[in-house]
Amino acid sequence: MNSKRIVVAITGASGAILGIRLLEELSCREIETHLVLSKWAEHTIELETDYTIEQVKALADVYHPSDDLAASISSGSFHTDGMVIIPCSMKTLSAIACGFSYNLITRAADVMLKEHRRLIIVPRETPLSVIHLQNMYSLSKMGVVILPPCIGFYTKPKTLSDVINHLVGKILDTLEIEHNLFTRWNGTH
């Protein structure tokens, strides 16, 4: 395999535009993307964005229904370079922390864990309960990157797009994919 292969999952948590923007950036590069949308992600996309479900699916190279546990990405023998769950609901985060692979998103995440591959979770909830924090801590101890959608004020964002691009850039950094979505901090001088 010459290019990277990344799994992108979008759950029903608020912030579907984050996953869509990541897909847009990955589609501009020679990166094979595999997309999974939860049932509630489809509703959230319709409620929060101007995108149709078909437009979002078209951003990926391969789309897998969330109930297809026989999909390629449900097996460790299918090589991938990582997975991003963006946004990640607390239901999905909890299931992954407990090893409860009830759909393709949680099964693919379980594969990332067992194969020691990069798994990035963008949790979208506030405020956080002790249960949420414990689940994130548990996953972090397993090597999962917990990347909350926090604003980088040093970039002096002027629009919501600036904030989204900063977050997507941080994810691309974690996946070791070059980008120029934000100006990097170079110190105070």
Side-chain angles (χ1 to χ4, degrees), residues 78-116:
F78 184 78
H79 180 78
T80 60
D81 296 290
M83 178 178 185
V84 183
I85 306 174
I86 177 171
C88 184
S89 67
M90 290 301 117
K91 175 183 176 180
T92 300
L93 189 140
S94 174
I96 296 165
C98 295
F100 181 50
S101 299
Y102 70 95
N103 66 14
L104 185 56
I105 294 172
T106 55
R107 172 57 190 166
D110 190 51
V111 167
M112 296 299 138
L113 288 170
K114 77 182 190 72
E115 299 294 331
H116 302 281

Side-chain angles (χ1 to χ4, degrees), residues 36 63-74 103-105 107:
V36 185
Y63 171 74
H64 302 281
S66 64
D67 63 350
D68 183 7
L69 291 174
S72 57
I73 61 173
S74 69
N103 66 14
L104 185 56
I105 294 172
R107 172 57 190 166

Side-chain angles (χ1 to χ4, degrees), residues 59-164:
L59 291 170
D61 294 297
V62 181
Y63 171 74
H64 302 281
S66 64
D67 63 350
D68 183 7
L69 291 174
S72 57
I73 61 173
S74 69
S75 174
S77 67
F78 184 78
H79 180 78
T80 60
D81 296 290
M83 178 178 185
V84 183
I85 306 174
I86 177 171
C88 184
S89 67
M90 290 301 117
K91 175 183 176 180
T92 300
L93 189 140
S94 174
I96 296 165
C98 295
F100 181 50
S101 299
Y102 70 95
N103 66 14
L104 185 56
I105 294 172
T106 55
R107 172 57 190 166
D110 190 51
V111 167
M112 296 299 138
L113 288 170
K114 77 182 190 72
E115 299 294 331
H116 302 281
R117 296 180 188 154
R118 180 62 46 125
L119 175 57
I120 302 168
I121 292 180
V122 180
R124 209 6 232 110
E125 186 65 75
T126 192
L128 296 167
S129 75
V130 171
I131 294 169
H132 302 151
L133 293 167
Q134 286 174 334
N135 286 333
M136 285 186 238
Y137 178 63
S138 174
L139 288 170
S140 182
K141 288 193 309 185
M142 293 180 223
V144 175
V145 175
I146 307 295
L147 204 153
C150 296
I151 299 171
F153 290 100
Y154 64 90
T155 63
K156 298 182 181 175
K158 294 178 180 39
T159 66
L160 182 57
S161 290
D162 292 342
V163 173
I164 292 168

